[in-house]
Amino acid sequence: MASSSPDSPCSCDCFVSVPPASAIPAVIFAKNSDRPRDEVQEVVFVPAGSHTPGSRLQCTYIEVEQVSKTHAVILSRPSWLWGAEMGANEHGVCIGNEAVWTKEPVGEGEALLGMDLLRPFHGTLKA
Protein backbone atom coordinates (compact mmCIF):
# COMPACT_ATOMS: atom_id res chain seq x y z
CA MET A 1 0.00 0.00 0.00
CA ALA A 2 1.37 3.37 -0.92
CA SER A 3 0.50 5.64 1.96
CA SER A 4 2.55 7.53 4.50
CA SER A 5 -0.13 7.63 7.18
CA PRO A 6 0.94 5.85 10.40
CA ASP A 7 -2.51 4.21 10.46
CA SER A 8 -2.11 2.73 6.98
CA PRO A 9 -0.59 -0.73 6.84
CA CYS A 10 2.37 -1.04 4.49
CA SER A 11 3.80 -4.52 4.77
CA CYS A 12 3.18 -8.10 5.71
CA ASP A 13 5.62 -10.75 6.80
CA CYS A 14 5.68 -14.51 7.23
CA PHE A 15 8.06 -16.52 9.35
CA VAL A 16 8.59 -20.15 10.15
CA SER A 17 10.58 -21.79 12.92
CA VAL A 18 11.48 -25.46 12.83
CA PRO A 19 13.11 -27.64 15.47
CA PRO A 20 15.67 -27.31 16.96
CA ALA A 21 15.20 -23.52 16.63
CA SER A 22 11.69 -23.80 18.09
CA ALA A 23 11.27 -23.96 21.86
CA ILE A 24 8.82 -26.82 21.30
CA PRO A 25 9.25 -29.85 19.01
CA ALA A 26 6.95 -28.41 16.35
CA VAL A 27 6.96 -26.23 13.26
CA ILE A 28 5.70 -22.71 14.02
CA PHE A 29 4.25 -20.66 11.16
CA ALA A 30 3.06 -17.07 11.58
CA LYS A 31 2.01 -14.14 9.43
CA ASN A 32 1.05 -10.54 10.01
CA SER A 33 -1.22 -8.80 7.56
CA ASP A 34 -1.27 -5.44 5.82
CA ARG A 35 -5.05 -5.44 5.56
CA PRO A 36 -7.06 -2.50 6.94
CA ARG A 37 -7.54 -2.86 10.70
CA ASP A 38 -11.35 -2.71 10.44
CA GLU A 39 -11.57 -5.40 7.74
CA VAL A 40 -13.18 -8.61 8.99
CA GLN A 41 -10.87 -11.64 8.88
CA GLU A 42 -12.63 -15.00 8.97
CA VAL A 43 -11.03 -18.28 10.00
CA VAL A 44 -12.72 -20.96 7.91
CA PHE A 45 -12.47 -24.73 7.51
CA VAL A 46 -12.92 -26.13 4.01
CA PRO A 47 -13.29 -29.94 3.97
CA ALA A 48 -11.49 -32.19 1.49
CA GLY A 49 -13.45 -32.90 -1.65
CA SER A 50 -13.69 -34.80 -4.90
CA HIS A 51 -14.89 -32.78 -7.87
CA THR A 52 -16.46 -33.65 -11.21
CA PRO A 53 -14.04 -33.44 -14.16
CA GLY A 54 -14.61 -30.22 -16.09
CA SER A 55 -16.34 -28.47 -13.17
CA ARG A 56 -15.62 -24.80 -12.59
CA LEU A 57 -14.64 -22.91 -9.43
CA GLN A 58 -15.77 -19.33 -8.74
CA CYS A 59 -12.88 -17.28 -7.32
CA THR A 60 -13.14 -13.63 -6.23
CA TYR A 61 -13.56 -12.14 -9.72
CA ILE A 62 -13.18 -14.95 -12.25
CA GLU A 63 -13.96 -18.64 -12.68
CA VAL A 64 -11.27 -21.31 -13.19
CA GLU A 65 -11.22 -25.05 -13.83
CA GLN A 66 -11.60 -27.10 -10.63
CA VAL A 67 -9.05 -29.82 -9.82
CA SER A 68 -10.39 -33.34 -9.26
CA LYS A 69 -9.38 -33.63 -5.59
CA THR A 70 -8.75 -31.05 -2.86
CA HIS A 71 -7.37 -31.48 0.67
CA ALA A 72 -8.99 -30.07 3.81
CA VAL A 73 -7.73 -26.60 4.76
CA ILE A 74 -8.03 -24.04 7.55
CA LEU A 75 -7.76 -20.51 6.16
CA SER A 76 -7.65 -16.94 7.43
CA ARG A 77 -9.23 -14.63 4.87
CA PRO A 78 -10.87 -11.25 4.46
CA SER A 79 -14.62 -11.90 4.48
CA TRP A 80 -15.25 -10.24 1.10
CA LEU A 81 -13.01 -12.46 -1.05
CA TRP A 82 -12.61 -16.12 -2.01
CA GLY A 83 -8.84 -16.37 -1.47
CA ALA A 84 -6.90 -16.32 1.79
CA GLU A 85 -4.16 -14.47 3.68
CA MET A 86 -2.74 -17.68 5.14
CA GLY A 87 -3.61 -21.20 6.09
CA ALA A 88 -2.62 -24.82 6.47
CA ASN A 89 -3.88 -28.01 4.89
CA GLU A 90 -4.45 -31.47 6.35
CA HIS A 91 -0.91 -32.51 5.35
CA GLY A 92 0.78 -29.70 7.30
CA VAL A 93 1.54 -27.48 4.30
CA CYS A 94 1.41 -23.82 5.40
CA ILE A 95 1.47 -20.79 3.13
CA GLY A 96 1.02 -17.03 3.52
CA ASN A 97 0.21 -14.27 1.04
CA GLU A 98 2.84 -11.58 0.50
CA ALA A 99 2.61 -8.37 -1.51
CA VAL A 100 4.79 -8.26 -4.61
CA TRP A 101 5.69 -4.77 -5.78
CA THR A 102 6.15 -4.30 -9.51
CA LYS A 103 6.64 -1.61 -12.10
CA GLU A 104 4.51 -3.49 -14.62
CA PRO A 105 1.21 -1.84 -15.51
CA VAL A 106 -2.01 -3.40 -14.25
CA GLY A 107 -3.68 -5.43 -17.00
CA GLU A 108 -7.15 -4.88 -18.37
CA GLY A 109 -10.10 -6.87 -17.07
CA GLU A 110 -10.66 -9.06 -14.04
CA ALA A 111 -8.07 -11.59 -12.87
CA LEU A 112 -7.07 -13.80 -9.97
CA LEU A 113 -5.92 -11.96 -6.85
CA GLY A 114 -2.71 -12.95 -5.06
CA MET A 115 -4.87 -14.28 -2.24
CA ASP A 116 -6.85 -16.34 -4.78
CA LEU A 117 -3.58 -17.93 -5.96
CA LEU A 118 -2.72 -18.93 -2.39
CA ARG A 119 -5.88 -20.96 -1.79
CA PRO A 120 -5.42 -23.70 -4.44
CA PHE A 121 -1.90 -24.45 -3.15
CA HIS A 122 -3.36 -25.33 0.25
CA GLY A 123 -5.90 -27.64 -1.27
CA THR A 124 -3.59 -29.57 -3.61
CA LEU A 125 -0.12 -29.87 -2.01
CA LYS A 126 1.24 -32.55 0.31
CA ALA A 127 4.22 -32.13 2.63
Side-chain angles (χ1 to χ4, degrees):
M1 300 184 132
S3 176
S4 59
S5 169
D7 292 331
S8 297
C10 61
S11 70
C12 52
D13 300 293
C14 290
F15 81 83
V16 64
S17 178
V18 296
S22 305
I24 59 174
V27 174
I28 299 169
F29 174 82
K31 180 187 184 308
N32 73 334
S33 177
D34 64 353
R35 306 299 305 167
R37 65 177 155 198
D38 61 347
E39 181 178 69
V40 175
Q41 288 277 325
E42 299 177 335
V43 176
V44 297
F45 172 74
V46 181
S50 295
H51 308 282
T52 306
S55 63
R56 307 287 292 170
L57 178 64
Q58 180 62 51
C59 301
T60 302
Y61 296 120
I62 67 169
E63 204 175 76
V64 297
E65 188 175 334
Q66 174 65 280
V67 297
S68 62
K69 181 181 178 195
T70 54
H71 304 300
V73 295
I74 295 175
L75 304 169
S76 174
R77 67 184 192 92
S79 61
W80 65 271
L81 58 73
W82 175 80
E85 276 280 346
M86 66 178 218
N89 73 17
E90 64 185 286
H91 299 285
V93 175
C94 297
I95 192 169
N97 178 60
E98 292 289 337
V100 176
W101 304 102
T102 181
K103 294 180 181 177
E104 296 295 318
V106 174
E108 295 289 323
E110 302 292 353
L112 289 171
L113 299 176
M115 285 189 261
D116 287 344
L117 293 172
L118 178 140
R119 189 166 171 165
F121 287 108
H122 282 102
T124 59
L125 296 178
K126 290 185 178 181

